[in-house]
Amino acid sequence: MIADHIGNFELYKGITERVNRAVQYIQNHDFAGLQTGTHEVEGDEIFFNLIEYVTKDQEERFWESHKKYLDLHYILEGSEFIAREQFDKMTVTKEYDEQDDYYLLEGKVQSKVKLEQGDFMLLFPDDVHMTGIKVDDPEKVRKVVFKILI
């Protein structure tokens, strides 16, 4: 997992060429006029979901992990906590869904990172994560989640 402000991405450039291209897309596009939903960038290699939701208590959220894609969360509006834990410290509650590329898991929240407008988090397959956790009070979050083929 890497979490930082998008302005600092040069520090991480070179992780993979597809991650570089996804960040370049973020830096060169305005998401303000886009509708929620899935948007193609480079076929099934890079695409993103533009989503909006209201943050909640962590007890109302769930753990997930992916196998084929890296997740790159980029906050457009609002703030949230994203919890993160290692896959081998969790219990799988729903076996891997090949079509939608996810596991559902359960376990304790040991650590979480606060993301605000302009921040990103890059999550690898071992990074089980729980998104949409409220910071203080519930608030609307608008963000893009890039799916980057490994």
Side-chain angles (χ1 to χ4, degrees), residues 4-128:
D4 204 338
H5 189 273
I6 200 70
N8 295 327
F9 182 74
E10 288 296 316
L11 299 170
Y12 313 103
K13 194 170 184 177
I15 293 169
T16 73
E17 185 55 38
R18 288 184 184 129
V19 171
N20 292 348
R21 291 194 310 264
V23 171
Q24 185 177 31
Y25 190 94
I26 289 170
Q27 293 169 331
N28 293 322
H29 287 82
D30 181 8
F31 298 92
L34 290 181
Q35 296 294 320
T36 57
T38 302
H39 301 267
E40 185 178 309
V41 177
E42 294 180 13
D44 66 349
E45 291 185 1
I46 304 172
F47 62 93
F48 66 90
N49 296 311
L50 191 143
I51 56 178
E52 295 179 355
Y53 53 80
V54 175
T55 57
K56 300 179 179 182
D57 292 326
Q58 71 184 33
E59 295 77 24
E60 298 177 71
R61 304 300 300 147
F62 59 90
W63 289 103
E64 66 178 334
S65 182
H66 311 289
K67 195 174 187 178
K68 296 188 302 191
Y69 289 91
L70 304 178
D71 266 8
L72 176 65
H73 295 246
Y74 176 64
I75 307 296
L76 300 170
E77 297 173 21
S79 62
E80 69 178 337
F81 280 119
I82 297 181
R84 184 262 171 209
E85 187 53 82
Q86 291 176 0
F87 190 91
D88 62 359
K89 294 184 179 180
M90 306 295 282
T91 302
V92 174
T93 59
K94 181 180 186 303
E95 288 301 322
Y96 181 68
D97 181 317
E98 180 80 29
Q99 181 177 344
D100 293 325
D101 186 41
Y102 74 92
Y103 292 94
L104 292 181
L105 304 100
E106 62 182 29
K108 288 186 175 185
V109 172
Q110 300 291 342
S111 65
K112 52 189 177 182
V113 176
K114 181 181 175 185
L115 296 181
E116 300 175 310
Q117 183 177 3
D119 291 340
F120 76 93
M121 180 179 278
L122 180 62
L123 296 151
F124 298 87
D126 193 49
D127 295 321
V128 180

